[in-house]
Amino acid sequence: MINQEMLDAMQVLLSPINNELSKITNLNTVKSDLDTTKSDLDTVKSDLNTVKSDLNTVKSDLDTAKSDLNTAKSDLNTVKSDLNTVKSDLNTVKSDLNTVKGNLQDFRIYTENEIEPKIQLLVENYVPAAKRYEAAAQEMDEFKQDIDILKRVAADHSEKFKKIS
């Protein structure tokens, strides 16, 4: 049994070594886990750099959007100003149109009260006068014919008197 005792004694002596070996095996597992964690951390770091780059792109796009928004605001203010000018001009045009309407109404009233009666009076006097002038014109033509005849007769008589004398 000496062998058994020696074996037991060796086991007792080897037990702390086995424990240490077991720890070393556990360390290898921890080291493997640590390597995996390091690899995962590198992946996270790479992903974080990608996110950081994407965030910078988004920030740049946001700055561009802000600039575009400021430009749009400025343009909108210009349009508002132009619209106010157009409104003012439209109000002036409306005022002028109302003045023109008033003047037109005044002109219609003046035409109705002043000009139309005078035209009517002219028409009433013109038609009879025109008929008189038409008749007189006919008489004038007859007078011209008569004068032409008298001239010829006078010329003919003058010749006859010259011959007699």
PDB file of all heavy atoms in Angstrom, residues 109-143:
ATOM      1  N   ILE A 109     -73.334 112.737 -66.961  1.00  0.00           N
ATOM      2  CA  ILE A 109     -74.351 113.709 -66.521  1.00  0.00           C
ATOM      3  C   ILE A 109     -74.217 115.002 -67.315  1.00  0.00           C
ATOM      4  O   ILE A 109     -75.208 115.561 -67.796  1.00  0.00           O
ATOM      5  CB  ILE A 109     -74.246 113.963 -65.003  1.00  0.00           C
ATOM      6  CG1 ILE A 109     -74.667 112.705 -64.239  1.00  0.00           C
ATOM      7  CG2 ILE A 109     -75.087 115.166 -64.588  1.00  0.00           C
ATOM      8  CD1 ILE A 109     -74.374 112.761 -62.738  1.00  0.00           C
ATOM      9  N   TYR A 110     -72.973 115.473 -67.493  1.00  0.00           N
ATOM     10  CA  TYR A 110     -72.722 116.696 -68.261  1.00  0.00           C
ATOM     11  C   TYR A 110     -73.187 116.510 -69.708  1.00  0.00           C
ATOM     12  O   TYR A 110     -73.828 117.397 -70.279  1.00  0.00           O
ATOM     13  CB  TYR A 110     -71.234 117.054 -68.220  1.00  0.00           C
ATOM     14  CG  TYR A 110     -70.881 118.260 -69.039  1.00  0.00           C
ATOM     15  CD1 TYR A 110     -71.168 119.542 -68.584  1.00  0.00           C
ATOM     16  CD2 TYR A 110     -70.276 118.122 -70.284  1.00  0.00           C
ATOM     17  CE1 TYR A 110     -70.853 120.662 -69.345  1.00  0.00           C
ATOM     18  CE2 TYR A 110     -69.958 119.230 -71.044  1.00  0.00           C
ATOM     19  CZ  TYR A 110     -70.248 120.489 -70.566  1.00  0.00           C
ATOM     20  OH  TYR A 110     -69.947 121.587 -71.327  1.00  0.00           O
ATOM     21  N   THR A 111     -72.851 115.341 -70.263  1.00  0.00           N
ATOM     22  CA  THR A 111     -73.252 115.061 -71.647  1.00  0.00           C
ATOM     23  C   THR A 111     -74.773 115.064 -71.761  1.00  0.00           C
ATOM     24  O   THR A 111     -75.333 115.658 -72.684  1.00  0.00           O
ATOM     25  CB  THR A 111     -72.688 113.700 -72.106  1.00  0.00           C
ATOM     26  OG1 THR A 111     -71.272 113.729 -72.020  1.00  0.00           O
ATOM     27  CG2 THR A 111     -73.090 113.392 -73.528  1.00  0.00           C
ATOM     28  N   GLU A 112     -75.423 114.405 -70.815  1.00  0.00           N
ATOM     29  CA  GLU A 112     -76.880 114.307 -70.845  1.00  0.00           C
ATOM     30  C   GLU A 112     -77.544 115.669 -70.652  1.00  0.00           C
ATOM     31  O   GLU A 112     -78.515 115.991 -71.325  1.00  0.00           O
ATOM     32  CB  GLU A 112     -77.334 113.336 -69.752  1.00  0.00           C
ATOM     33  CG  GLU A 112     -78.821 113.071 -69.732  1.00  0.00           C
ATOM     34  CD  GLU A 112     -79.191 112.071 -68.651  1.00  0.00           C
ATOM     35  OE1 GLU A 112     -78.403 111.148 -68.376  1.00  0.00           O
ATOM     36  OE2 GLU A 112     -80.276 112.243 -68.070  1.00  0.00           O
ATOM     37  N   ASN A 113     -76.993 116.446 -69.740  1.00  0.00           N
ATOM     38  CA  ASN A 113     -77.641 117.728 -69.401  1.00  0.00           C
ATOM     39  C   ASN A 113     -77.210 118.890 -70.281  1.00  0.00           C
ATOM     40  O   ASN A 113     -77.979 119.836 -70.461  1.00  0.00           O
ATOM     41  CB  ASN A 113     -77.374 118.079 -67.936  1.00  0.00           C
ATOM     42  CG  ASN A 113     -78.065 117.130 -66.989  1.00  0.00           C
ATOM     43  OD1 ASN A 113     -79.066 116.519 -67.320  1.00  0.00           O
ATOM     44  ND2 ASN A 113     -77.513 116.984 -65.802  1.00  0.00           N
ATOM     45  N   GLU A 114     -75.979 118.880 -70.764  1.00  0.00           N
ATOM     46  CA  GLU A 114     -75.456 120.035 -71.494  1.00  0.00           C
ATOM     47  C   GLU A 114     -75.297 119.786 -73.001  1.00  0.00           C
ATOM     48  O   GLU A 114     -75.766 120.576 -73.814  1.00  0.00           O
ATOM     49  CB  GLU A 114     -74.098 120.450 -70.913  1.00  0.00           C
ATOM     50  CG  GLU A 114     -74.150 120.917 -69.484  1.00  0.00           C
ATOM     51  CD  GLU A 114     -74.872 122.236 -69.318  1.00  0.00           C
ATOM     52  OE1 GLU A 114     -74.807 123.083 -70.226  1.00  0.00           O
ATOM     53  OE2 GLU A 114     -75.527 122.405 -68.278  1.00  0.00           O
ATOM     54  N   ILE A 115     -74.628 118.691 -73.327  1.00  0.00           N
ATOM     55  CA  ILE A 115     -74.252 118.484 -74.735  1.00  0.00           C
ATOM     56  C   ILE A 115     -75.425 117.955 -75.552  1.00  0.00           C
ATOM     57  O   ILE A 115     -75.695 118.460 -76.650  1.00  0.00           O
ATOM     58  CB  ILE A 115     -73.027 117.549 -74.831  1.00  0.00           C
ATOM     59  CG1 ILE A 115     -71.826 118.231 -74.190  1.00  0.00           C
ATOM     60  CG2 ILE A 115     -72.742 117.175 -76.265  1.00  0.00           C
ATOM     61  CD1 ILE A 115     -70.570 117.393 -74.135  1.00  0.00           C
ATOM     62  N   GLU A 116     -76.131 116.949 -75.038  1.00  0.00           N
ATOM     63  CA  GLU A 116     -77.227 116.368 -75.809  1.00  0.00           C
ATOM     64  C   GLU A 116     -78.316 117.396 -76.147  1.00  0.00           C
ATOM     65  O   GLU A 116     -78.783 117.431 -77.297  1.00  0.00           O
ATOM     66  CB  GLU A 116     -77.813 115.161 -75.073  1.00  0.00           C
ATOM     67  CG  GLU A 116     -76.925 113.944 -75.152  1.00  0.00           C
ATOM     68  CD  GLU A 116     -77.497 112.730 -74.427  1.00  0.00           C
ATOM     69  OE1 GLU A 116     -78.685 112.740 -74.053  1.00  0.00           O
ATOM     70  OE2 GLU A 116     -76.744 111.754 -74.266  1.00  0.00           O
ATOM     71  N   PRO A 117     -78.722 118.244 -75.194  1.00  0.00           N
ATOM     72  CA  PRO A 117     -79.731 119.257 -75.582  1.00  0.00           C
ATOM     73  C   PRO A 117     -79.213 120.201 -76.668  1.00  0.00           C
ATOM     74  O   PRO A 117     -79.967 120.581 -77.574  1.00  0.00           O
ATOM     75  CB  PRO A 117     -80.004 120.028 -74.290  1.00  0.00           C
ATOM     76  CG  PRO A 117     -79.630 119.086 -73.198  1.00  0.00           C
ATOM     77  CD  PRO A 117     -78.504 118.264 -73.744  1.00  0.00           C
ATOM     78  N   LYS A 118     -77.946 120.545 -76.600  1.00  0.00           N
ATOM     79  CA  LYS A 118     -77.374 121.452 -77.615  1.00  0.00           C
ATOM     80  C   LYS A 118     -77.304 120.769 -78.971  1.00  0.00           C
ATOM     81  O   LYS A 118     -77.586 121.369 -79.996  1.00  0.00           O
ATOM     82  CB  LYS A 118     -76.000 121.952 -77.175  1.00  0.00           C
ATOM     83  CG  LYS A 118     -76.091 122.914 -76.012  1.00  0.00           C
ATOM     84  CD  LYS A 118     -74.736 123.353 -75.518  1.00  0.00           C
ATOM     85  CE  LYS A 118     -74.910 124.270 -74.305  1.00  0.00           C
ATOM     86  NZ  LYS A 118     -73.649 124.674 -73.715  1.00  0.00           N
ATOM     87  N   ILE A 119     -76.949 119.477 -78.948  1.00  0.00           N
ATOM     88  CA  ILE A 119     -76.919 118.730 -80.216  1.00  0.00           C
ATOM     89  C   ILE A 119     -78.341 118.625 -80.773  1.00  0.00           C
ATOM     90  O   ILE A 119     -78.553 118.786 -81.981  1.00  0.00           O
ATOM     91  CB  ILE A 119     -76.293 117.337 -80.010  1.00  0.00           C
ATOM     92  CG1 ILE A 119     -74.790 117.465 -79.747  1.00  0.00           C
ATOM     93  CG2 ILE A 119     -76.543 116.445 -81.207  1.00  0.00           C
ATOM     94  CD1 ILE A 119     -74.091 116.154 -79.420  1.00  0.00           C
ATOM     95  N   GLN A 120     -79.275 118.350 -79.886  1.00  0.00           N
ATOM     96  CA  GLN A 120     -80.676 118.263 -80.322  1.00  0.00           C
ATOM     97  C   GLN A 120     -81.123 119.585 -80.940  1.00  0.00           C
ATOM     98  O   GLN A 120     -81.777 119.606 -81.977  1.00  0.00           O
ATOM     99  CB  GLN A 120     -81.575 117.885 -79.136  1.00  0.00           C
ATOM    100  CG  GLN A 120     -83.014 117.634 -79.502  1.00  0.00           C
ATOM    101  CD  GLN A 120     -83.178 116.473 -80.467  1.00  0.00           C
ATOM    102  OE1 GLN A 120     -82.467 115.482 -80.404  1.00  0.00           O
ATOM    103  NE2 GLN A 120     -84.116 116.608 -81.395  1.00  0.00           N
ATOM    104  N   LEU A 121     -80.736 120.697 -80.309  1.00  0.00           N
ATOM    105  CA  LEU A 121     -81.079 122.015 -80.838  1.00  0.00           C
ATOM    106  C   LEU A 121     -80.442 122.219 -82.208  1.00  0.00           C
ATOM    107  O   LEU A 121     -81.090 122.727 -83.133  1.00  0.00           O
ATOM    108  CB  LEU A 121     -80.642 123.109 -79.856  1.00  0.00           C
ATOM    109  CG  LEU A 121     -80.976 124.542 -80.235  1.00  0.00           C
ATOM    110  CD1 LEU A 121     -82.502 124.735 -80.296  1.00  0.00           C
ATOM    111  CD2 LEU A 121     -80.369 125.508 -79.228  1.00  0.00           C
ATOM    112  N   LEU A 122     -79.172 121.829 -82.331  1.00  0.00           N
ATOM    113  CA  LEU A 122     -78.493 121.950 -83.629  1.00  0.00           C
ATOM    114  C   LEU A 122     -79.197 121.114 -84.685  1.00  0.00           C
ATOM    115  O   LEU A 122     -79.396 121.571 -85.819  1.00  0.00           O
ATOM    116  CB  LEU A 122     -77.027 121.507 -83.511  1.00  0.00           C
ATOM    117  CG  LEU A 122     -76.079 122.488 -82.849  1.00  0.00           C
ATOM    118  CD1 LEU A 122     -74.711 121.845 -82.671  1.00  0.00           C
ATOM    119  CD2 LEU A 122     -75.960 123.753 -83.675  1.00  0.00           C
ATOM    120  N   VAL A 123     -79.580 119.878 -84.322  1.00  0.00           N
ATOM    121  CA  VAL A 123     -80.260 119.009 -85.278  1.00  0.00           C
ATOM    122  C   VAL A 123     -81.599 119.624 -85.681  1.00  0.00           C
ATOM    123  O   VAL A 123     -81.953 119.639 -86.862  1.00  0.00           O
ATOM    124  CB  VAL A 123     -80.454 117.585 -84.671  1.00  0.00           C
ATOM    125  CG1 VAL A 123     -81.423 116.758 -85.495  1.00  0.00           C
ATOM    126  CG2 VAL A 123     -79.123 116.880 -84.557  1.00  0.00           C
ATOM    127  N   GLU A 124     -82.322 120.132 -84.689  1.00  0.00           N
ATOM    128  CA  GLU A 124     -83.620 120.735 -84.986  1.00  0.00           C
ATOM    129  C   GLU A 124     -83.484 121.929 -85.922  1.00  0.00           C
ATOM    130  O   GLU A 124     -84.329 122.167 -86.773  1.00  0.00           O
ATOM    131  CB  GLU A 124     -84.313 121.162 -83.684  1.00  0.00           C
ATOM    132  CG  GLU A 124     -84.814 120.010 -82.856  1.00  0.00           C
ATOM    133  CD  GLU A 124     -85.298 120.426 -81.477  1.00  0.00           C
ATOM    134  OE1 GLU A 124     -85.257 121.641 -81.131  1.00  0.00           O
ATOM    135  OE2 GLU A 124     -85.703 119.532 -80.719  1.00  0.00           O
ATOM    136  N   ASN A 125     -82.414 122.696 -85.766  1.00  0.00           N
ATOM    137  CA  ASN A 125     -82.203 123.871 -86.626  1.00  0.00           C
ATOM    138  C   ASN A 125     -81.526 123.505 -87.937  1.00  0.00           C
ATOM    139  O   ASN A 125     -81.736 124.159 -88.945  1.00  0.00           O
ATOM    140  CB  ASN A 125     -81.379 124.931 -85.909  1.00  0.00           C
ATOM    141  CG  ASN A 125     -82.174 125.603 -84.813  1.00  0.00           C
ATOM    142  OD1 ASN A 125     -83.351 125.864 -84.979  1.00  0.00           O
ATOM    143  ND2 ASN A 125     -81.532 125.864 -83.688  1.00  0.00           N
ATOM    144  N   TYR A 126     -80.727 122.486 -87.943  1.00  0.00           N
ATOM    145  CA  TYR A 126     -79.947 122.131 -89.125  1.00  0.00           C
ATOM    146  C   TYR A 126     -80.844 121.576 -90.226  1.00  0.00           C
ATOM    147  O   TYR A 126     -80.699 121.941 -91.386  1.00  0.00           O
ATOM    148  CB  TYR A 126     -78.872 121.107 -88.776  1.00  0.00           C
ATOM    149  CG  TYR A 126     -78.108 120.616 -89.992  1.00  0.00           C
ATOM    150  CD1 TYR A 126     -77.145 121.408 -90.585  1.00  0.00           C
ATOM    151  CD2 TYR A 126     -78.382 119.380 -90.545  1.00  0.00           C
ATOM    152  CE1 TYR A 126     -76.462 120.977 -91.694  1.00  0.00           C
ATOM    153  CE2 TYR A 126     -77.712 118.929 -91.663  1.00  0.00           C
ATOM    154  CZ  TYR A 126     -76.747 119.737 -92.231  1.00  0.00           C
ATOM    155  OH  TYR A 126     -76.070 119.305 -93.335  1.00  0.00           O
ATOM    156  N   VAL A 127     -81.762 120.705 -89.854  1.00  0.00           N
ATOM    157  CA  VAL A 127     -82.582 120.053 -90.882  1.00  0.00           C
ATOM    158  C   VAL A 127     -83.381 121.092 -91.681  1.00  0.00           C
ATOM    159  O   VAL A 127     -83.327 121.088 -92.917  1.00  0.00           O
ATOM    160  CB  VAL A 127     -83.478 118.955 -90.249  1.00  0.00           C
ATOM    161  CG1 VAL A 127     -84.477 118.414 -91.243  1.00  0.00           C
ATOM    162  CG2 VAL A 127     -82.615 117.832 -89.691  1.00  0.00           C
ATOM    163  N   PRO A 128     -84.089 121.989 -91.003  1.00  0.00           N
ATOM    164  CA  PRO A 128     -84.807 122.990 -91.821  1.00  0.00           C
ATOM    165  C   PRO A 128     -83.842 123.886 -92.597  1.00  0.00           C
ATOM    166  O   PRO A 128     -84.102 124.237 -93.759  1.00  0.00           O
ATOM    167  CB  PRO A 128     -85.600 123.818 -90.820  1.00  0.00           C
ATOM    168  CG  PRO A 128     -85.715 122.951 -89.602  1.00  0.00           C
ATOM    169  CD  PRO A 128     -84.499 122.087 -89.615  1.00  0.00           C
ATOM    170  N   ALA A 129     -82.739 124.266 -91.960  1.00  0.00           N
ATOM    171  CA  ALA A 129     -81.762 125.122 -92.644  1.00  0.00           C
ATOM    172  C   ALA A 129     -81.164 124.380 -93.836  1.00  0.00           C
ATOM    173  O   ALA A 129     -80.973 124.972 -94.916  1.00  0.00           O
ATOM    174  CB  ALA A 129     -80.668 125.565 -91.685  1.00  0.00           C
ATOM    175  N   ALA A 130     -80.909 123.108 -93.659  1.00  0.00           N
ATOM    176  CA  ALA A 130     -80.340 122.326 -94.758  1.00  0.00           C
ATOM    177  C   ALA A 130     -81.328 122.255 -95.913  1.00  0.00           C
ATOM    178  O   ALA A 130     -80.939 122.343 -97.088  1.00  0.00           O
ATOM    179  CB  ALA A 130     -79.977 120.925 -94.271  1.00  0.00           C
ATOM    180  N   LYS A 131     -82.618 122.109 -95.592  1.00  0.00           N
ATOM    181  CA  LYS A 131     -83.630 122.064 -96.660  1.00  0.00           C
ATOM    182  C   LYS A 131     -83.696 123.406 -97.375  1.00  0.00           C
ATOM    183  O   LYS A 131     -83.826 123.465 -98.606  1.00  0.00           O
ATOM    184  CB  LYS A 131     -84.994 121.685 -96.077  1.00  0.00           C
ATOM    185  CG  LYS A 131     -85.071 120.228 -95.711  1.00  0.00           C
ATOM    186  CD  LYS A 131     -86.430 119.854 -95.161  1.00  0.00           C
ATOM    187  CE  LYS A 131     -86.436 118.377 -94.774  1.00  0.00           C
ATOM    188  NZ  LYS A 131     -87.696 117.980 -94.149  1.00  0.00           N
ATOM    189  N   ARG A 132     -83.609 124.498 -96.583  1.00  0.00           N
ATOM    190  CA  ARG A 132     -83.618 125.831 -97.190  1.00  0.00           C
ATOM    191  C   ARG A 132     -82.408 126.004 -98.100  1.00  0.00           C
ATOM    192  O   ARG A 132     -82.513 126.525 -99.207  1.00  0.00           O
ATOM    193  CB  ARG A 132     -83.609 126.906 -96.105  1.00  0.00           C
ATOM    194  CG  ARG A 132     -84.940 127.192 -95.512  1.00  0.00           C
ATOM    195  CD  ARG A 132     -84.952 128.488 -94.699  1.00  0.00           C
ATOM    196  NE  ARG A 132     -83.820 128.708 -93.831  1.00  0.00           N
ATOM    197  CZ  ARG A 132     -83.777 128.387 -92.542  1.00  0.00           C
ATOM    198  NH1 ARG A 132     -84.816 127.834 -91.964  1.00  0.00           N
ATOM    199  NH2 ARG A 132     -82.708 128.629 -91.843  1.00  0.00           N
ATOM    200  N   TYR A 133     -81.236 125.591 -97.609  1.00  0.00           N
ATOM    201  CA  TYR A 133     -80.013 125.723 -98.411  1.00  0.00           C
ATOM    202  C   TYR A 133     -80.075 124.842 -99.648  1.00  0.00           C
ATOM    203  O   TYR A 133     -79.592 125.221-100.707  1.00  0.00           O
ATOM    204  CB  TYR A 133     -78.776 125.381 -97.570  1.00  0.00           C
ATOM    205  CG  TYR A 133     -78.485 126.388 -96.488  1.00  0.00           C
ATOM    206  CD1 TYR A 133     -78.158 125.973 -95.212  1.00  0.00           C
ATOM    207  CD2 TYR A 133     -78.533 127.752 -96.740  1.00  0.00           C
ATOM    208  CE1 TYR A 133     -77.900 126.871 -94.207  1.00  0.00           C
ATOM    209  CE2 TYR A 133     -78.281 128.670 -95.737  1.00  0.00           C
ATOM    210  CZ  TYR A 133     -77.957 128.217 -94.461  1.00  0.00           C
ATOM    211  OH  TYR A 133     -77.708 129.125 -93.464  1.00  0.00           O
ATOM    212  N   GLU A 134     -80.719 123.702 -99.521  1.00  0.00           N
ATOM    213  CA  GLU A 134     -80.841 122.799-100.671  1.00  0.00           C
ATOM    214  C   GLU A 134     -81.720 123.469-101.741  1.00  0.00           C
ATOM    215  O   GLU A 134     -81.387 123.462-102.926  1.00  0.00           O
ATOM    216  CB  GLU A 134     -81.475 121.480-100.226  1.00  0.00           C
ATOM    217  CG  GLU A 134     -81.450 120.418-101.296  1.00  0.00           C
ATOM    218  CD  GLU A 134     -82.013 119.103-100.768  1.00  0.00           C
ATOM    219  OE1 GLU A 134     -81.628 118.674 -99.661  1.00  0.00           O
ATOM    220  OE2 GLU A 134     -82.846 118.519-101.460  1.00  0.00           O
ATOM    221  N   ALA A 135     -82.815 124.052-101.255  1.00  0.00           N
ATOM    222  CA  ALA A 135     -83.706 124.752-102.196  1.00  0.00           C
ATOM    223  C   ALA A 135     -82.972 125.952-102.780  1.00  0.00           C
ATOM    224  O   ALA A 135     -83.047 126.237-103.984  1.00  0.00           O
ATOM    225  CB  ALA A 135     -84.983 125.182-101.493  1.00  0.00           C
ATOM    226  N   ALA A 136     -82.260 126.696-101.918  1.00  0.00           N
ATOM    227  CA  ALA A 136     -81.525 127.871-102.384  1.00  0.00           C
ATOM    228  C   ALA A 136     -80.423 127.462-103.352  1.00  0.00           C
ATOM    229  O   ALA A 136     -80.155 128.178-104.330  1.00  0.00           O
ATOM    230  CB  ALA A 136     -80.942 128.631-101.205  1.00  0.00           C
ATOM    231  N   ALA A 137     -79.823 126.328-103.114  1.00  0.00           N
ATOM    232  CA  ALA A 137     -78.764 125.867-104.013  1.00  0.00           C
ATOM    233  C   ALA A 137     -79.337 125.579-105.389  1.00  0.00           C
ATOM    234  O   ALA A 137     -78.701 125.872-106.414  1.00  0.00           O
ATOM    235  CB  ALA A 137     -78.096 124.625-103.433  1.00  0.00           C
ATOM    236  N   GLN A 138     -80.553 125.025-105.408  1.00  0.00           N
ATOM    237  CA  GLN A 138     -81.188 124.742-106.686  1.00  0.00           C
ATOM    238  C   GLN A 138     -81.495 126.063-107.409  1.00  0.00           C
ATOM    239  O   GLN A 138     -81.269 126.202-108.608  1.00  0.00           O
ATOM    240  CB  GLN A 138     -82.476 123.957-106.445  1.00  0.00           C
ATOM    241  CG  GLN A 138     -82.793 123.002-107.529  1.00  0.00           C
ATOM    242  CD  GLN A 138     -83.939 122.072-107.091  1.00  0.00           C
ATOM    243  OE1 GLN A 138     -84.672 122.375-106.166  1.00  0.00           O
ATOM    244  NE2 GLN A 138     -84.059 120.980-107.788  1.00  0.00           N
ATOM    245  N   GLU A 139     -81.978 127.035-106.628  1.00  0.00           N
ATOM    246  CA  GLU A 139     -82.256 128.342-107.205  1.00  0.00           C
ATOM    247  C   GLU A 139     -80.975 128.990-107.702  1.00  0.00           C
ATOM    248  O   GLU A 139     -80.968 129.655-108.746  1.00  0.00           O
ATOM    249  CB  GLU A 139     -82.929 129.255-106.166  1.00  0.00           C
ATOM    250  CG  GLU A 139     -84.376 128.934-105.908  1.00  0.00           C
ATOM    251  CD  GLU A 139     -85.002 129.862-104.877  1.00  0.00           C
ATOM    252  OE1 GLU A 139     -84.425 130.932-104.548  1.00  0.00           O
ATOM    253  OE2 GLU A 139     -86.071 129.500-104.363  1.00  0.00           O
ATOM    254  N   MET A 140     -79.886 128.804-106.951  1.00  0.00           N
ATOM    255  CA  MET A 140     -78.594 129.372-107.357  1.00  0.00           C
ATOM    256  C   MET A 140     -78.160 128.783-108.693  1.00  0.00           C
ATOM    257  O   MET A 140     -77.643 129.517-109.550  1.00  0.00           O
ATOM    258  CB  MET A 140     -77.526 129.086-106.301  1.00  0.00           C
ATOM    259  CG  MET A 140     -77.675 129.873-105.030  1.00  0.00           C
ATOM    260  SD  MET A 140     -77.028 131.511-105.191  1.00  0.00           S
ATOM    261  CE  MET A 140     -75.306 131.240-105.050  1.00  0.00           C
ATOM    262  N   ASP A 141     -78.374 127.490-108.862  1.00  0.00           N
ATOM    263  CA  ASP A 141     -78.018 126.881-110.149  1.00  0.00           C
ATOM    264  C   ASP A 141     -78.847 127.492-111.278  1.00  0.00           C
ATOM    265  O   ASP A 141     -78.334 127.782-112.367  1.00  0.00           O
ATOM    266  CB  ASP A 141     -78.252 125.358-110.098  1.00  0.00           C
ATOM    267  CG  ASP A 141     -77.193 124.639-109.269  1.00  0.00           C
ATOM    268  OD1 ASP A 141     -76.094 125.206-109.067  1.00  0.00           O
ATOM    269  OD2 ASP A 141     -77.463 123.490-108.819  1.00  0.00           O
ATOM    270  N   GLU A 142     -80.142 127.722-110.990  1.00  0.00           N
ATOM    271  CA  GLU A 142     -81.014 128.323-112.006  1.00  0.00           C
ATOM    272  C   GLU A 142     -80.559 129.756-112.293  1.00  0.00           C
ATOM    273  O   GLU A 142     -80.537 130.196-113.457  1.00  0.00           O
ATOM    274  CB  GLU A 142     -82.468 128.316-111.532  1.00  0.00           C
ATOM    275  CG  GLU A 142     -83.068 126.937-111.510  1.00  0.00           C
ATOM    276  CD  GLU A 142     -84.479 126.903-110.896  1.00  0.00           C
ATOM    277  OE1 GLU A 142     -85.060 127.999-110.610  1.00  0.00           O
ATOM    278  OE2 GLU A 142     -84.969 125.787-110.677  1.00  0.00           O
ATOM    279  N   PHE A 143     -80.177 130.490-111.181  1.00  0.00           N
ATOM    280  CA  PHE A 143     -79.682 131.862-111.369  1.00  0.00           C
ATOM    281  C   PHE A 143     -78.411 131.866-112.207  1.00  0.00           C
ATOM    282  O   PHE A 143     -78.239 132.735-113.073  1.00  0.00           O
ATOM    283  CB  PHE A 143     -79.412 132.546-110.036  1.00  0.00           C
ATOM    284  CG  PHE A 143     -80.624 132.982-109.282  1.00  0.00           C
ATOM    285  CD1 PHE A 143     -80.656 132.902-107.899  1.00  0.00           C
ATOM    286  CD2 PHE A 143     -81.743 133.479-109.952  1.00  0.00           C
ATOM    287  CE1 PHE A 143     -81.768 133.296-107.184  1.00  0.00           C
ATOM    288  CE2 PHE A 143     -82.857 133.878-109.233  1.00  0.00           C
ATOM    289  CZ  PHE A 143     -82.878 133.784-107.841  1.00  0.00           C
TER     290      PHE A 143
END
